[in-house]
Amino acid sequence: MRPRTVLALLTAGLAAATCLTAAGPAGAAAPAQHACSSAVSIDRFSDALDKTTYDGTFVGNLSALAVDRDGSLAALSDRSALFRLDARTLRPTAVVRLTDEQGADLDAEGLAALGDGTRLVSSETEPSVRRHSRDGTVLDRLPVPSALRVAPAGRATANQTFEGLTLLPGGRTLLASMEYALSGDATGTVRFQTWDRHRGRFALAAQYAYRTDAGLGVPEVRATPDGRLLVLERGFTAGVGNTVRLYLADLRHATDTSGVEHLTGQREVRPIRKTLLADLADCPSLGATAKQPQPNPLLDNIEGMTITKQNRTGRLKVLLVSDDNQNPAQTTRFFHLRVRV
């Protein structure tokens, strides 16, 4: 638990950023002024990969995105497949099967790309975070606090654990977001766990509390160049559809909760501060259609997010993807956003 390392990184800028082209595949185009809010606009969306296959593997169930060191995109399926996508067209160019140490499939949810070409992948089953080589070989497994493990080993609920995974600027601190609260913690208070990296190994570090909006969980987090976080909050109501909100969160001044057994609204515990950037139901629909009821036909089960371009003025290009769960009533859809932070 070394919060000083995390706080130091929050003030550090990202020395270099990978830039991707703005052109996209088939889908509706929109000018940047198509605003979802004063901070977020949507350029376009694409359904081009919906219900497709590549090299015999279904292209869907996408739960995370990351920019690789060669500028391509990595797209993670929660059915244990990792795709490489062309940054311009989003078309798959390679796929690798991921497994655990015994060769079993992973319920893979979070993805972070390291500068050495390896990838960190979280699974929400145990939960776990593993480091994989480019060919999918397991190289390492990170420690996980006992309380964050699924009951009866810990206090987490199955399929409600590590969803988001991101490296803070500098690549020396990793952060994973729990999707929902632990048993014994207040409803809507989820834990963000960090690890510090030293000589290639990750050790447990500070932990923080994050409060979601009522009924929502956290499917994804992504660090901004200044060390803040883009946080997706998501929920689903049958007959109504999805709620998806994008927040900007700040770890500075938040309390390290790794030594706090139960988070029940204690006055001395300062949660991560958050600011609403946009409710995606307020975006223009751009002619999108939905296969099930939605408050906006543009929406679906949005679960993955990465920053594809960034500059020093706080303007980001952000790519989102929805997880279709291989369900005919859902869509694999990519969303190209512009975000001002």
Side-chain angles (χ1 to χ4, degrees):
M1 292 168 275
R2 292 178 291 281
R4 288 178 296 176
T5 303
V6 176
L7 295 176
L9 286 170
L10 295 179
T11 59
L14 191 60
T18 303
C19 296
L20 306 181
T21 60
Q33 64 263 30
H34 280 184
C36 309
S37 69
S38 61
V40 177
S41 62
I42 180 167
D43 282 346
R44 60 195 181 278
F45 71 91
S46 173
D47 296 349
L49 296 189
D50 187 45
K51 307 302 183 288
T52 60
T53 60
Y54 173 80
D55 197 20
T57 302
F58 181 79
V59 182
N61 308 297
L62 300 181
S63 57
L65 299 168
V67 178
D68 253 329
R69 63 177 181 175
D70 62 359
S72 64
L73 286 169
L76 182 68
S77 163
D78 61 20
R79 307 293 173 91
S80 221
L82 182 63
F83 296 92
R84 185 167 71 242
L85 307 181
D86 180 274
R88 185 181 65 85
T89 67
L90 301 181
R91 294 289 182 181
T93 60
V95 63
V96 171
R97 179 173 176 257
L98 300 177
T99 68
D100 65 14
E101 294 81 354
Q102 287 72 47
D105 286 348
L106 302 175
D107 186 355
E109 298 289 346
L111 175 67
L114 295 171
D116 60 3
T118 63
R119 287 79 169 261
L120 294 164
V121 175
S122 66
S123 169
E124 65 177 356
T125 303
E126 312 95 336
S128 63
V129 180
R130 293 176 176 86
R131 186 168 65 93
H132 295 260
S133 67
R134 291 187 71 87
D135 67 2
T137 302
V138 178
L139 302 175
D140 194 12
R141 182 166 173 167
L142 279 58
V144 174
S146 58
L148 272 55
R149 296 188 179 278
V150 170
R155 296 193 287 117
T157 301
N159 298 318
Q160 296 184 10
T161 64
F162 290 156
E163 281 272 343
L165 200 63
T166 188
L167 285 164
L168 298 187
R172 296 190 299 275
T173 298
L174 178 72
L175 181 144
S177 58
M178 299 289 281
E179 185 178 14
Y180 289 102
L182 299 179
S183 173
D185 287 353
T187 301
T189 299
V190 301
R191 300 198 185 221
F192 285 10
Q193 177 64 46
T194 69
W195 293 259
D196 285 344
R197 187 186 188 193
H198 181 65
R199 294 182 179 177
R201 305 285 292 185
F202 286 89
L204 288 172
Q207 188 184 100
Y208 304 98
Y210 178 90
R211 292 177 182 162
T212 66
D213 293 353
L216 303 185
V218 178
E220 187 63 287
V221 292
R222 190 60 58 187
T224 65
D226 63 3
R228 291 179 292 175
L229 300 172
L230 295 179
V231 181
L232 274 180
E233 295 190 23
R234 177 201 59 188
F236 177 77
T237 303
V240 177
N242 290 99
T243 299
V244 184
R245 294 174 185 153
L246 181 63
Y247 279 91
L248 181 66
D250 194 340
L251 292 172
R252 290 173 297 181
H253 311 300
T255 302
D256 180 355
T257 59
S258 53
V260 182
E261 184 176 4
H262 296 110
L263 296 173
T264 55
Q266 297 95 319
R267 186 169 299 178
E268 67 274 14
V269 173
R270 297 185 302 274
I272 297 168
R273 292 181 297 175
K274 70 176 191 178
T275 302
L276 179 65
L277 294 175
D279 186 323
L280 297 192
D282 296 332
C283 294
S285 65
L286 306 184
T289 58
K291 301 173 184 176
Q292 60 181 334
Q294 291 287 359
N296 179 334
L298 184 71
L299 294 180
D300 209 284
N301 181 38
I302 300 174
E303 194 160 309
M305 172 174 61
T306 194
I307 297 171
T308 59
K309 189 174 183 180
Q310 47 208 357
N311 62 32
R312 295 180 180 178
T313 65
R315 296 184 183 276
L316 311 174
K317 288 189 177 182
V318 176
L319 184 66
L320 308 179
V321 69
S322 59
D323 178 354
D324 74 336
N325 291 305
Q326 215 159 332
N327 183 337
Q330 295 178 287
T331 303
T332 295
R333 177 171 289 168
F334 288 86
F335 308 77
H336 296 260
L337 304 182
R338 295 175 186 259
V339 179
R340 179 170 51 82
V341 296

